[in-house]
């Protein structure tokens, strides 16, 4: 056998090991769930500056819908939950660098994000809506006629309100969310069209107004982020979400923090 033949055979042998190497890597990659159960600690990236999904309470502890969801998953897994505050900018890098096992932080699903992380089923709504006092009867878009609604000019809720607003509604447009909220709180408008987060913060600061959810304008559900390839952990969390949905836990959390049930959420 010549030198070139021996070299070629060695090359073929090396190629034969490549699928095994990749197979081993794929198997080793799926360790997140096993690690969580072994450590008995689930590390979850959560927001602390985005009420009502995640914020710091008067006791200086994180609270909100996303925190409740993290604690629910931890309880179902039988492990302690380590809450790690993140921002919109660093929440996905925390997942990629294994600083967090899950990201529960008002995370929407889109094609760009799906390239770098995986998503569970959705667990909560994120929406724009019309809000107003309990004393004001508004159940359909037609009920807006003859009433004033404050909205931030050019925002998504401004666009969506325009699609359903009947003749006779007085839409008052303001230049930013703070001014829109101030106008509603001071009584310049009877209703306000805004996002769930802005409304949640406003209702928490002004409980005397008795503000509640009135009409849905647009719904964009939240999903839980999981590191790419961690299918065992993702499947387990999906199982927990499905059970919570069936038991009514997701509706209870959404009603508690958002003023409306979670409703039908996409997988």
């Amino acid at each position: 056998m010549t030198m070139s033949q021996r070299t070629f055979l060695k090359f073929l042998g090396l190629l034969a090991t490549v699928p095994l190497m990749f197979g081993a890597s794929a198997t080793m990659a799926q360790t997140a769930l096993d690690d969580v159960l072994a450590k008995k600690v689930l590390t979850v990236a959560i927001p602390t500056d985005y009420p009502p999904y995640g914020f710091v309470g008067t006791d200086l502890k994180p609270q909100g819908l996303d925190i409740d969801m993290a604690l629910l998953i931890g309880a179902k897994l039988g492990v302690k939950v380590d809450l790690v505050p993140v921002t919109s900018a660093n929440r996905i890098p925390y997942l990629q660098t294994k600083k967090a096992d899950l990201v529960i932080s008002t995370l929407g699903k889109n094609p760009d994000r799906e390239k770098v992380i995986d998503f569970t089923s959705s667990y909560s709504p994120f929406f724009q809506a019309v809000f107003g006092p309990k004393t004001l009867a508004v159940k359909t878009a037609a009920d807006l006629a003859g009433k004033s609604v404050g909205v931030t000019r050019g925002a998504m809720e401004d666009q969506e309100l325009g699609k359903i607003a009947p003749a006779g509604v007085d839409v008052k447009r303001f230049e930013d969310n703070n001014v829109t909220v101030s106008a509603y709180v001071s009584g310049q408008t009877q209703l306000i069209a805004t996002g769930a987060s802005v409304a949640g913060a406003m209702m928490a600061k002004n409980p005397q107004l008795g503000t509640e959810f009135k009409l849905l304008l647009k719904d964009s559900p939240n999903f839980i982020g999981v590191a790419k390839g961690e299918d065992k952990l993702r499947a387990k969390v999906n199982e927990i979400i499905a059970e919570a949905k069936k038991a009514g836990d997701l509706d209870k959390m959404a009603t508690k923090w958002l003023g409306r049930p979670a409703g039908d959420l996409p997988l």
Side-chain angles (χ1 to χ4, degrees), residues 82-177:
D82 181 16
L83 300 173
V84 181
V86 292
T87 64
S88 295
N90 68 15
R91 55 189 173 173
I92 289 178
Y94 262 57
L95 197 60
Q96 294 173 307
T97 56
K98 298 189 176 181
K99 291 180 180 178
D101 301 305
L102 300 173
V103 171
I104 307 181
S105 181
T106 59
L107 191 63
K109 186 196 295 188
N110 62 48
D112 287 337
R113 287 175 179 167
E114 285 185 291
K115 293 175 183 177
V116 293
I117 65 171
D118 288 333
F119 292 88
T120 67
S121 303
S122 56
Y123 66 96
S124 74
F126 185 92
F127 56 90
Q128 285 74 38
V130 175
F131 298 83
K134 295 176 182 178
T135 54
L136 194 63
V138 176
K139 294 184 178 180
T140 67
D143 294 331
L144 296 176
K147 298 177 179 67
S148 59
V149 185
V151 67
T152 301
R153 188 185 309 277
M156 182 182 292
E157 49 268 21
D158 186 11
Q159 300 170 29
E160 297 300 321
L161 180 63
K163 295 177 183 178
I164 67 164
V169 62
D170 181 15
V171 178
K172 296 182 181 297
R173 292 180 172 84
F174 302 94
E175 296 310 312
D176 61 52
N177 282 332

Side-chain angles (χ1 to χ4, degrees), residues 26 29-31 116-118 226-234:
Q30 292 198 40
T31 62
V116 293
I117 65 171
D118 288 333
V226 183
K228 204 72 178 172
E230 291 291 352
D231 297 333
K232 287 172 62 177
L233 178 59
R234 183 167 61 88

